Amino acid sequence: MSGVTALDALDVLGQEAAVARLLDACGSRRWAEAMAAARPFGSHEALHAAAGRAFDALAEADWLEAFAAHPRIGAGAASGHQSAAGERWSTGEQAEMAAAAEDERRALATGNAAYFDRFGFTFIVCANGRSAAEMRALLEARLSHERAREIAIAAGEQRRITLLRLDKMLAP
């Protein structure tokens, strides 16, 4: 199987296997189904373009499903579907939390609870390379938003996370 890339392998998977694999990158089943139906991609550029089109077609319920596949910042488990790959990626993306002081962890836990109470979904931020203090500051700033604005911001963060995860999924 020399010369076959991860993208080639994704392009030839059966529909349900492709959906399952794509759910690793984004927890919205509708997004994963649209992406699986858009294959073959043939290039990373085409994959990213298809991801953008699939994102643009999502409704609020789809975004909320995607958000539920993420654990709260600093917490271990997601409230919705999260694959083993998604769990590994979340842990890596939140690696800066390992260095966070206990008071910072408590503040994030309190902020996460307040955010969920206010908006009804998990605080979503592309955590890659961000310190606990940076994420807490973003969370606190976003608490003042109206729900519709916050869903749009969280959706943008989800897009960033998903594109990073697609790249990780297809890395040699």
Side-chain angles (χ1 to χ4, degrees):
M1 212 157 136
S2 177
V4 175
T5 68
L7 183 58
D8 294 332
L10 177 63
D11 279 347
V12 298
L13 283 176
Q15 180 73 10
E16 279 309 308
V19 167
R21 186 72 174 113
L22 289 159
L23 282 169
D24 289 344
C26 178
S28 164
R29 183 154 190 88
R30 187 165 171 231
W31 178 86
E33 288 172 348
M35 289 293 290
R39 295 170 306 138
F41 302 114
S43 71
H44 281 83
E45 295 78 14
L47 173 75
H48 280 233
R53 287 188 299 277
F55 284 132
D56 291 344
L58 296 182
E60 180 177 314
D62 304 312
W63 288 114
L64 295 176
E65 180 184 27
F67 303 163
H70 292 275
R72 290 182 178 184
I73 298 294
S79 59
H81 162 81
Q82 187 177 39
S83 67
E87 191 173 323
R88 273 193 321 278
W89 291 333
S90 288
T91 300
E93 291 157 1
Q94 294 187 34
E96 297 294 323
M97 285 300 299
E102 187 56 37
D103 61 330
E104 195 69 57
R105 289 174 178 277
R106 277 194 304 274
L108 267 165
T110 299
N112 277 325
Y115 183 97
F116 191 87
D117 289 346
R118 175 155 169 68
F119 298 114
F121 56 89
T122 301
F123 171 66
I124 302 297
V125 65
C126 187
N128 238 20
R130 286 192 167 137
S131 70
E134 287 175 281
M135 290 185 280
R136 182 175 51 85
L138 286 167
L139 186 155
E140 289 171 355
R142 287 169 52 186
L143 275 169
S144 66
H145 295 160
E146 294 298 321
R147 189 171 190 278
R149 179 172 180 217
E150 188 52 30
I151 286 177
I153 291 168
E157 293 294 307
Q158 176 66 56
R159 285 174 86 122
R160 290 181 57 209
I161 294 164
T162 300
L163 293 176
L164 287 170
R165 289 180 175 189
L166 285 172
D167 291 344
K168 290 176 190 177
M169 180 190 309
L170 301 178

